[in-house]
Amino acid sequence: MEKIIVLNRTRAIKYSYQPQEKTFGIISISELADSVPNFHSSPQLKGLLKLQFDDVDQNKDGYYAMTEQDAQKIATFVKRCSSHFDILVVHCLAGRSRSAGVAAAIAKWKFGDDSEFFRNYTPNMHCYRLVLEKLMEGN
């Protein structure tokens, strides 16, 4: 993996349908109350992880936060699959908070620098901490 891109849901789906020169993987994050999107199965798509949780820090009023199990699935996916693709696309509905938190944690672990995601987005810190913790386990 050379690069991490944060997109909103619509742009991530379009990305999967556009011809790509480089291989890519997708971490797809949807709300629990929403349907899970379908992506084009192009030969360049080398890994896909679909998760559902809401953009909250804790379970409240019918909204559910990322769990440790969700974070572990992300860490396992990244550790096992990132050598199979050049670009990792991380998306959520708006492409601003949950996806940026996940992307920032992966960038911190993989490249040692998460500043791009804190400069350009508003990362969900609950997602960031959980994913980074799971990525760091065993290192």
Side-chain angles (χ1 to χ4, degrees), residues 18 30 75 118:
Q18 295 170 344
S30 301
F118 284 95

Side-chain angles (χ1 to χ4, degrees), residues 103-105 107-109 111-119 123 128 132:
K108 181 71 171 176
W109 173 77
F111 308 118
D113 182 16
D114 56 14
S115 61
E116 170 190 349
F117 301 99
F118 284 95
R119 191 172 47 250
Y128 176 82
L132 187 57

Side-chain angles (χ1 to χ4, degrees), residues 38-96:
N38 291 314
F39 296 92
H40 180 66
S41 78
S42 102
Q44 298 301 91
L45 178 59
K46 301 297 183 182
L48 174 61
L49 176 64
K50 294 181 179 182
L51 299 167
Q52 287 184 282
F53 53 86
D54 298 306
D55 191 10
V56 294
D57 294 336
Q58 59 185 338
N59 298 345
K60 186 177 179 183
D61 299 330
Y63 294 98
Y64 295 92
M66 171 190 266
T67 64
E68 287 194 24
Q69 292 82 7
D70 294 324
Q72 184 60 59
K73 288 176 184 176
I74 292 168
T76 300
F77 175 79
V78 168
K79 288 179 177 180
R80 286 187 184 161
C81 298
S82 66
S83 64
H84 301 291
F85 47 77
D86 300 310
I87 297 169
L88 175 61
V89 174
V90 185
H91 93 80
C92 61
L93 182 62
R96 303 283 317 149

